[in-house]
Amino acid sequence: MAGPGGDMQWCFSQVKGAIDDDVAEADIISTVEFNHTGELLATGDKGGRVVIFQQEIENKNLPQFRSEYNVYSTFQSHEPEFDYLKSLEIEEKINKIRWLPQKNAAQFLLSTNDKTIKLWKISERDKRPDGYNLKEEDGRYKDPNTITSLRVPVLIPMDLMVEASPRRVFANAHTYHINSISVNSDEETYLSADDLRINLWNLEITDRSFNIVDIKPANMEELTEVITAAEFHPHQCNTFVYSSSKGTIRLCDMRASALCDKQSKLFEEPEDPSNRSFFSEIISSISDVKFSHNGRYMMTRDYLSVKIWDLNMENRPVETYQVHEYLRSKLCSLYENDCIFDKFECCWNGNDSVVMTGSYNNFFRMFDRGQRRDVTLEASRENSKPMQVLKPRKVCAGGKRKKDEISVDSLDFNKKILHTAWHPQDNIIAVATTNNLYIFQDKVN
Amino acid sequence: MNATTAMEVNAEARRILAVSISKLYASRTQRGGLRLHRSLLLSMVMRSARDIYHSSREIEGQSDAQPTSEPMETSSDQTVPEPQPELQPAVNAAEPPSEESDSEDEGCDSDIAEDKENMSPTKQSRKRRGKAAAAPDFLPSKRARLEPGEERYAAQLGSCRAGAAESLTALSLNLNRVIPAF
């Protein structure tokens, strides 16, 4: 695959969601995830709904191949709940969706809100049985005495129906707010992480989970850090990592002990003392951690940068990419308007050569690791003509603003891209603005 | 750091404290309950701002050639005898945390106000009389109570430029209560 700035040309493909500027809070997209083949794309929103799009593959081998994602299934995953004991409302917002690898005709995914994880089965039905002779036409059962022959119903084709049904509900295991779920490579277990604890579940068992990490101090006043994200290693079923609000990542091996409070590796970069400010702690908090597909690296996202870590080197990342360094001098304003608390996610492309993350003003950034190139692109309705090539954007940090550049002060901080996803094999990306989902693809694709 | 810079830093620290306090109160009414991560970050910023405020006041005090009768400690590990105990870091709460303290929530403001009334008599005995004049003007006086109306006032502050001094006088902040409430 080619680099993002030169050989790759990103084109608009589709946009999903309402056009009007008045955004309904329930429509705010809160998670985006491709399945393992990339054929399905799931989004979760603040209203607790999951929408799954399916790729219609038209002539995939032709050079002008265009992949279209159309709605496949929509269902209400979580409802708002009320915890009467604590007088707390539990939001229905979907925090994360993770697909299970496909084993049979049906698709399975895990979706979670702050407190409860659910396993959903999405299955297709395109035939229905016909020919029962046990019921009248209006549905009432016939008197059995009137039935004199045995008639076996036959399956006849019908319009495709996609059904989503909850198969498991994993509840009551988290005191704090769930921030991550991750399916193990063993395809039997998964982990769920909240601010202070990580639990290990078996996909079949809902009334029990094992606590594998617990960083709650005996005295809550001594609390200095919380867990912000966790993920299983893509191949080693015994290994997982979790990131903290202090900017550290701990790699744990479940073979070492039942409770993995003592990490096997601690990844931490010493802070640059010249960058110290009131907000140093906030901006060093890691908002997302993702293993590379090959399992040799992991990527972390903090407020201003993306870091790539080699799992064999704990004392510093091997690569650091500045996402929007021009915001460093604006941290006080970003604190006032709450933007400094935004949790950006990041993702790898299929062969781990490019990483992507979001920013403000509906900008998103791609960093080509091999070619040492980066590009800033924008997801907007203005650039949404079919196959329109996206023009690289540039932010002017200070001084004289060149033509086509945007100055930092004109950035719209209400337009943020927190969630992005990259197709596991092809150069197709899904980028979520507040309530719209943009799909872009590489022209050469 | 000279006195002028110290004054600027002081003003900045006060501003940040005001903003942080209003955020803390606003987060109580948030849907989904108090977020531990956010509260932790807020309390860290408040602690930094408080430390910087005190150290810049110390420098101001020194350059004004007004001897402070006692050094102002800024280390967060020590239980510092401050004029206003309410700003002690969350780490040094005098009260024991409630067991499995996630059942307790700061959502009830009247509880906080009541607790303040219960707490202050014991804390008052540690207050040094001579310090009354040197008490920072933005910190609440002993008599300040958290009226429901005043809390609203503070929360409505959009910009921290709007009179940090007035806003903080109206509020009683108890950093001790931020984290143990979880």
Side-chain angles (χ1 to χ4, degrees), chain A residues 92 114 175 177 335-336 338, chain B residues 16 20 23 31-32 35 102:
Chain A
E92 66 277 28
D114 283 337
T175 309
H177 297 103
Y335 181 69
E336 286 174 42
D338 260 7
Chain B
I16 290 174
S20 307
K23 283 191 191 302
R31 250 190 109 211
R35 305 253 150 201
D102 26 345

Side-chain angles (χ1 to χ4, degrees), chain A residues 215-233:
Chain A
I215 64 166
K216 183 176 180 185
N219 185 353
M220 275 297 269
E221 288 140 13
E222 287 158 12
L223 182 74
T224 53
E225 66 182 325
V226 297
I227 297 168
T228 53
E231 193 177 59
F232 266 119
H233 190 278

Side-chain angles (χ1 to χ4, degrees), chain B:
Chain B
M1 197 196 302
N2 60 20
T4 327
T5 326
M7 235 165 51
E8 290 166 2
V9 168
N10 187 318
E12 175 86 357
R14 281 162 48 157
R15 227 182 74 188
I16 290 174
L17 268 170
V19 172
S20 307
I21 289 164
S22 64
K23 283 191 191 302
L24 203 54
Y25 279 117
S27 65
R28 290 181 184 170
T29 51
Q30 236 176 10
R31 250 190 109 211
L34 277 172
R35 305 253 150 201
L36 184 61
H37 185 194
R38 186 186 164 91
S39 304
L40 180 67
L41 294 175
L42 281 175
S43 68
M44 280 177 166
V45 170
M46 283 194 271
R47 205 179 314 152
S48 299
R50 182 200 65 108
D51 292 346
I52 305 257
Y53 171 79
H54 284 307
S55 62
S56 67
R57 284 232 11 158
E58 189 183 314
I59 290 166
E60 261 181 70
Q62 282 170 5
S63 33
D64 288 347
Q66 277 170 18
T68 49
S69 52
E70 56 148 31
M72 295 279 244
E73 298 286 341
T74 57
S75 160
S76 58
D77 288 338
Q78 301 169 15
T79 308
V80 179
E82 291 179 11
Q84 298 299 332
E86 288 90 313
L87 274 190
Q88 278 189 18
V91 173
N92 292 332
E95 334 151 56
S98 48
E99 44 143 335
E100 205 37 55
S101 41
D102 26 345
S103 58
E104 171 60 64
D105 186 66
E106 289 192 304
C108 187
D109 298 317
S110 55
D111 271 348
I112 302 295
E114 271 171 55
D115 275 328
K116 288 231 58 55
E117 291 166 24
N118 292 333
M119 271 176 59
S120 21
T122 40
K123 301 257 174 165
Q124 269 175 24
S125 55
R126 288 163 47 197
K127 184 173 161 65
R128 290 161 194 219
R129 302 207 187 270
K131 279 303 192 181
D137 55 5
F138 69 88
L139 291 172
S141 68
K142 275 186 289 182
R143 289 188 206 90
R145 302 248 192 283
L146 184 64
E147 314 281 5
E150 281 173 344
E151 191 229 340
R152 289 289 141 248
Y153 166 75
Q156 273 159 22
L157 280 179
S159 161
C160 59
R161 284 160 192 79
E166 300 93 76
S167 67
L168 288 168
T169 310
L171 290 167
S172 297
L173 168 71
N174 191 352
L175 264 182
N176 296 343
R177 304 278 300 175
V178 172
I179 301 302
F182 284 89

Side-chain angles (χ1 to χ4, degrees), chain A residues 8-11 366 377 389-390 422 427 429 440-442:
Chain A
M8 262 201 232
Q9 279 201 299
W10 288 100
C11 306
M366 283 186 194
L377 300 170
V389 177
L390 294 182
W422 204 308
N427 278 345
I429 54 175
F440 301 106
Q441 63 177 87
D442 182 18

Side-chain angles (χ1 to χ4, degrees), chain A residues 15-227:
Chain A
V15 60
K16 308 283 185 191
I19 300 177
D20 45 81
D21 288 330
D22 202 15
V23 179
E25 189 156 334
D27 293 338
I28 295 174
I29 298 172
S30 49
T31 185
V32 182
E33 187 81 359
F34 278 101
N35 76 335
H36 295 273
T37 61
E39 186 203 353
L40 297 176
L41 175 60
T43 61
D45 64 24
K46 232 178 163 194
R49 291 165 301 195
V50 170
V51 181
I52 302 176
F53 302 92
Q54 184 188 42
Q55 191 180 26
E56 306 289 351
I57 300 164
E58 304 163 4
N59 303 316
K60 191 161 183 173
N61 297 319
L62 286 185
Q64 297 310 108
F65 157 61
R66 235 185 78 116
S67 53
E68 275 234 335
Y69 281 85
N70 299 316
V71 178
Y72 179 66
S73 173
T74 304
F75 57 93
Q76 186 74 33
S77 171
H78 287 70
E79 299 273 2
E81 286 172 59
F82 198 78
D83 182 337
Y84 295 98
L85 210 56
K86 301 177 198 173
S87 288
L88 283 181
E89 200 180 352
I90 299 169
E91 275 191 283
E92 66 277 28
K93 173 168 78 93
I94 307 295
N95 293 334
K96 284 277 150 54
I97 288 174
R98 290 288 182 263
W99 290 93
L100 267 55
Q102 192 175 12
K103 282 187 184 163
N104 52 37
Q107 300 277 357
F108 287 86
L109 62 78
L110 287 169
S111 68
T112 186
N113 69 349
D114 283 337
K115 297 286 181 182
T116 304
I117 307 127
K118 293 188 185 181
L119 176 70
W120 287 89
K121 176 181 179 182
I122 296 106
S123 47
E124 291 183 5
R125 190 196 291 266
D126 61 356
K127 293 181 187 49
R128 63 178 178 85
D130 187 60
Y132 286 106
N133 63 339
L134 300 175
K135 288 188 194 175
E136 304 283 3
E137 279 190 22
D138 60 1
R140 281 180 305 139
Y141 279 102
K142 284 181 182 166
D143 179 0
N145 298 323
T146 63
I147 300 167
T148 54
S149 64
L150 175 71
R151 200 181 334 156
V152 178
V154 291
L155 292 172
I156 60 169
M158 63 178 242
D159 288 338
L160 179 68
M161 202 166 70
V162 181
E163 299 169 320
S165 57
R167 305 303 284 178
R168 305 270 188 278
V169 177
F170 305 91
N172 302 320
H174 285 281
T175 309
Y176 303 96
H177 297 103
I178 297 174
N179 53 54
S180 313
I181 47 174
S182 177
V183 184
N184 202 345
S185 52
D186 66 6
E187 299 180 19
E188 286 182 3
T189 58
Y190 76 94
L191 64 75
S192 59
D194 66 29
D195 293 313
L196 296 179
R197 298 190 178 102
I198 302 180
N199 293 332
L200 180 71
W201 300 85
N202 182 302
L203 284 162
E204 300 293 324
I205 300 168
T206 58
D207 61 355
R208 234 173 312 163
S209 69
F210 288 104
N211 175 241
I212 53 176
V213 173
D214 187 341
I215 64 166
K216 183 176 180 185
N219 185 353
M220 275 297 269
E221 288 140 13
E222 287 158 12
L223 182 74
T224 53
E225 66 182 325
V226 297
I227 297 168

Side-chain angles (χ1 to χ4, degrees), chain A residues 219-391:
Chain A
N219 185 353
M220 275 297 269
E221 288 140 13
E222 287 158 12
L223 182 74
T224 53
E225 66 182 325
V226 297
I227 297 168
T228 53
E231 193 177 59
F232 266 119
H233 190 278
H235 314 310
Q236 295 165 15
C237 58
N238 54 289
T239 306
F240 67 93
V241 292
Y242 68 92
S243 59
S244 84
S245 54
K246 271 192 166 170
T248 63
I249 310 101
R250 286 169 173 81
L251 185 143
C252 301
D253 185 335
M254 294 196 289
R255 298 170 300 186
S257 71
L259 189 61
C260 301
D261 277 358
K262 203 157 164 292
Q263 70 272 0
S264 301
K265 293 195 189 199
L266 173 65
F267 298 84
E268 189 173 14
E269 182 178 30
E271 193 194 349
D272 181 358
S274 64
N275 278 335
R276 189 106 184 83
S277 77
F278 281 118
F279 310 106
S280 296
E281 274 123 351
I282 302 189
I283 63 169
S284 64
S285 177
I286 291 173
S287 51
D288 194 16
V289 65
K290 292 264 170 50
F291 276 104
S292 61
H293 291 94
N294 60 20
R296 291 175 50 204
Y297 300 95
M298 66 178 172
M299 162 167 57
T300 57
R301 174 72 155 99
D302 51 66
Y303 190 64
L304 295 179
S305 68
V306 159
K307 294 179 181 174
I308 313 273
W309 303 79
D310 183 323
L311 293 186
N312 297 314
M313 189 162 76
E314 297 169 62
N315 60 349
R316 59 176 175 82
V318 288
E319 294 152 40
T320 302
Y321 301 104
Q322 300 304 332
V323 181
H324 35 219
E325 182 68 12
Y326 45 79
L327 295 183
R328 193 181 287 276
S329 53
K330 310 274 178 198
L331 292 180
C332 193
S333 317
L334 293 164
Y335 181 69
E336 286 174 42
N337 66 13
D338 260 7
C339 284
I340 207 173
F341 297 102
D342 286 335
K343 296 191 166 111
F344 291 94
E345 291 174 10
C346 52
C347 61
W348 298 84
N349 75 337
N351 66 5
D352 302 330
S353 60
V354 185
V355 296
M356 170 168 67
T357 190
S359 178
Y360 294 104
N361 209 71
N362 281 349
F363 287 170
F364 57 100
R365 303 263 285 137
M366 283 186 194
F367 302 95
D368 187 318
R369 301 175 59 211
Q371 304 202 9
R372 302 247 146 231
R373 271 197 289 217
D374 61 87
V375 70
T376 305
L377 300 170
E378 183 181 359
S380 77
R381 292 265 174 186
E382 281 85 55
N383 306 323
S384 51
K385 290 197 262 304
M387 298 312 283
Q388 177 178 1
V389 177
L390 294 182
K391 208 175 63 160

